[in-house]
Amino acid sequence: MASAGRAAEAQSAGRHRDPALQALVDKVVDDPNPNPGAFLLARDGLTDRFGAAGVADRATRMPMAPELKFRAGSVTKTFTATVVLQLVAEQRLRLDDTVQSLLPDQVRTDNALSSAPITVRQLLNHTSGLYDYIDGLLPHFRSLDQYWPREQLIGIGLAQPRYFPTPGTRFRYSNTNYLLLDLIVERITDRDLRTNLERRLFEPLGLRDTSYPLARTTIGGAHVHGYADVSFLLPNAPDATRFDVTGVSPSEAGASGALVTTAADVTRFYRALLQGRLLPEPLLRTMLTDTVPATGSAPPVVAYGLGMYVYATECGLAYGHGGTAPGFQTFALNTRDGHHQLVAHTNWNSLVDSGIDKDFWAAFQQGYCSDPR
């Protein structure tokens, strides 16, 4: 791992280390914050600047660097949504098609699909009202590396009552929505989501460091290690508040958050998307402007489109997504034309709802609006 760390440092040396970004990430890792490491990568056209602080691996002391792979969490949702919208562009799917018509075998008299119809659009923008299966995982937990079948996760999400009875009336973030989209993509294309992501996005865009693992709990190549507070799950674990959870099974997230990637690949994807290279312009406009108020989200989030957050920053509207996976937290923000971009990452989070990581939250907002030096 030491050699991988040196290679990452060497690559970072070819970029401009920006004092303003560096000051922000230094604050993220300063005591008493529990974050082992953090980075900010800003891209303006062909120019990159960054700040990186702390370590990517506490055991080897490998320095944090923006070239390392990490689990991207819900940033995955924009990738999944793009595949769905490509199927819309190909006229193989309509935004107003209902889940009940597309997945009739999922409808049962005793589950949440038995009442008012839910559309593909409402899955994409989190207005379905469906219960978030993440909130119901704890009774089923056995170990961090256990494999979670998609059918089990969907079943957990559909077994509970809806958050509200009438779809489309308000926003309520639910990962269950994107597992159903995964199933819809598979039914329509007769290929799993991984194959669709690889053929439609990863390969055409040259995202060589991006993958969609489900069964694999390890990350290949030089990567960030993620740390979390597992004291409520594994109270006897050593160093339970900063426990290495890198080996958690990505099957727990699936289409809602299983992506492994790098900052460079994230910026390449969003730039291609926002510059109209992945979707026809009218459909891209719908993705960004067919929004609902993101009720309950912390500022600068103001709205949610079709797999895309809208952020009202001090320097104007930004588009992208945040992502949390056990031990990892990421934000990707972009201007409408994809010219100015920021990826922010830290390798710690709390598995319990203990509030916002204030210094990291400030870092991604201030970093996005910082001027190039």
Side-chain angles (χ1 to χ4, degrees), residues 169-188:
T169 54
R170 61 187 177 93
F171 174 85
R172 179 54 160 87
Y173 194 90
S174 173
N175 291 282
T176 305
N177 294 322
Y178 277 71
L179 296 196
L180 289 170
L181 289 169
D182 175 5
L183 191 52
I184 289 169
V185 168
E186 186 175 289
R187 295 283 175 86
I188 289 175

Side-chain angles (χ1 to χ4, degrees), residues 91-285:
Q91 299 184 351
R92 302 169 74 180
L93 182 66
R94 295 177 302 175
L95 288 173
D96 293 326
D97 285 342
T98 67
V99 180
Q100 287 84 347
S101 65
L102 294 166
L103 303 173
D105 57 307
Q106 296 296 314
V107 182
R108 300 184 182 89
T109 56
D110 61 347
N111 77 12
L113 292 181
S114 62
S115 50
I118 293 169
T119 66
V120 170
R121 187 192 310 271
Q122 291 159 354
L123 296 180
L124 286 166
N125 67 13
H126 295 292
T127 61
S128 71
L130 292 175
Y131 176 80
D132 190 344
Y133 73 86
I134 293 289
D135 293 339
L137 287 185
L138 190 56
H140 306 274
F141 173 80
R142 299 190 307 275
S143 65
L144 290 173
D145 62 353
Q146 76 187 75
Y147 182 78
W148 297 86
R150 178 184 60 190
E151 291 69 24
Q152 179 186 14
L153 301 178
I154 290 175
I156 293 170
L158 297 183
Q160 298 297 321
R162 298 183 187 186
Y163 293 120
F164 46 89
T166 306
T169 54
R170 61 187 177 93
F171 174 85
R172 179 54 160 87
Y173 194 90
S174 173
N175 291 282
T176 305
N177 294 322
Y178 277 71
L179 296 196
L180 289 170
L181 289 169
D182 175 5
L183 191 52
I184 289 169
V185 168
E186 186 175 289
R187 295 283 175 86
I188 289 175
T189 66
D190 201 28
R191 297 187 178 99
D192 62 16
L193 181 62
R194 176 190 288 109
T195 302
N196 277 282
L197 288 168
E198 290 172 350
R199 294 183 180 182
R200 293 171 175 272
L201 302 179
F202 302 170
E203 293 169 7
L205 296 179
L207 307 184
R208 298 181 182 86
D209 293 317
T210 300
S211 60
Y212 178 71
L214 289 180
R216 184 177 179 180
T217 58
T218 57
I219 301 175
H223 62 274
V224 176
H225 281 241
Y227 301 89
D229 181 352
V230 298
S231 54
F232 76 106
L233 286 174
L234 306 169
N236 298 320
D239 202 4
T241 60
R242 286 205 291 181
F243 189 80
D244 190 331
V245 294
T246 311
V248 70
S249 174
S251 62
E252 173 263 344
S256 70
L259 211 67
V260 170
T261 189
T262 62
D265 276 6
V266 170
T267 57
R268 189 176 296 117
F269 163 72
Y270 275 106
R271 180 167 295 184
L273 175 61
L274 291 166
Q275 291 181 348
R277 287 185 276 140
L278 297 176
L279 295 172
E281 179 56 34
L283 202 52
L284 174 61
R285 192 181 312 118

Side-chain angles (χ1 to χ4, degrees), residues 310-368:
V310 182
Y311 302 86
T313 74
E314 292 182 358
C315 51
L317 291 180
Y319 302 86
H321 218 289
T324 299
F328 301 88
Q329 191 166 1
T330 307
F331 285 94
L333 277 70
N334 311 266
T335 51
R336 172 62 179 85
D337 61 3
H339 180 81
H340 174 62
Q341 303 175 279
L342 180 100
V343 176
H345 182 76
T346 186
N347 57 341
W348 182 89
N349 63 48
S350 173
L351 294 184
V352 297
D353 186 11
S354 58
I356 291 174
D357 184 342
K358 292 182 180 178
D359 287 324
F360 182 63
W361 199 260
F364 88 79
Q365 298 178 64
Q366 294 173 29
Y368 178 75

Side-chain angles (χ1 to χ4, degrees), residues 12-29:
S12 289
R15 289 180 168 143
H16 171 57
R17 188 182 288 268
D18 182 271
L21 299 181
Q22 188 61 44
L24 290 169
V25 291
D26 284 341
K27 189 173 182 181
V28 173
V29 303

Side-chain angles (χ1 to χ4, degrees), residues 1-11 62-63 65 67-68 221-223:
M1 266 309 207
S3 61
R6 285 193 293 272
E9 283 189 295
Q11 291 181 41
M62 180 173 67
E67 290 78 20
L68 299 172
H223 62 274

